[in-house]
Structure formats: structure tokens, C-alpha cells
Amino acid sequence: MDVLCKPDGDKRCERTLSRVRQALENLNLEAEVHLYRDQRKMIDNRVYVSPALLIDDIVRVAGRVPSIEEIERLLRERPRYQKRMKDVA
């Protein structure tokens, strides 16, 4: 998972990162979360507003700070998560 921000950064990037970590903790998931403050990476992913949240290299949210519940919903939609939950159930 990646959080993309503009190089100058702001508090919205930090809030997004902390909410992503909280959502992962709530769902008891382990994942690598990277914070990028790189304009080139944003352009490569066709993101022009920050912060942006990428899950499995797909832009899921851009230009706003998602809620913890929204991030959890996005994570539950992931095929890997669904397979894991199916194996457990």
C-alpha cells in the first residue's frame, strides 16, 4: 500500500497514513505501507492531487483523507483478503 503526497507535504498525508495503519490494525492485517513525497511518483500514477491512497498499485482515493471505515471497506474488497477470510471461515 502506498500513500502519495506532494513534496511540500501537509498534515493530510500524515492523517491518511495513520488512518491506514489504524484500519490495518482493526482488521488484524499485516501489510507494507509506504509514504512517498515524490512528484514524479504521483505523475507516474496519474495522481495530481494529494494525498492519494494506492492499494495493490491501484489508486483508490485521491485528494482527500479517507475515513478508517472507508479504508477497511477497500481492504475487504481485495481478493487476497477475501481468500484469507474464506480459508479461515
Side-chain angles (χ1 to χ4, degrees):
M1 297 176 62
D2 299 327
V3 177
L4 303 180
C5 299
K6 293 182 178 178
D8 56 359
D10 60 7
K11 297 290 181 191
R12 295 184 323 152
C13 293
E14 299 301 326
R15 281 196 320 236
T16 302
L17 183 62
S18 67
R19 288 182 182 187
V20 166
R21 289 182 175 153
Q22 183 63 45
L24 288 169
E25 185 178 318
N26 291 351
L27 294 173
N28 198 24
L29 292 176
E30 291 183 18
E32 288 185 26
V33 182
H34 302 277
L35 175 64
Y36 293 100
R37 294 183 184 275
D38 183 14
Q39 191 75 26
R40 171 55 46 201
K41 186 144 180 83
M42 290 180 67
I43 292 169
D44 289 346
N45 285 286
R46 296 185 176 128
V47 174
Y48 302 102
V49 291
S50 72
L53 175 63
L54 280 73
I55 299 176
D56 293 332
D57 295 324
I58 299 171
V59 178
R60 302 305 301 245
V61 177
R64 63 183 175 81
V65 178
S67 67
I68 294 172
E69 294 79 19
E70 181 181 9
I71 297 168
E72 289 175 359
R73 181 180 51 78
L74 292 171
L75 290 172
R76 281 191 210 101
E77 292 173 357
R78 294 177 56 219
R80 292 181 202 166
Y81 181 80
Q82 290 175 358
K83 181 180 183 299
R84 178 177 170 233
M85 292 309 294
K86 189 171 124 181
D87 291 342
V88 171

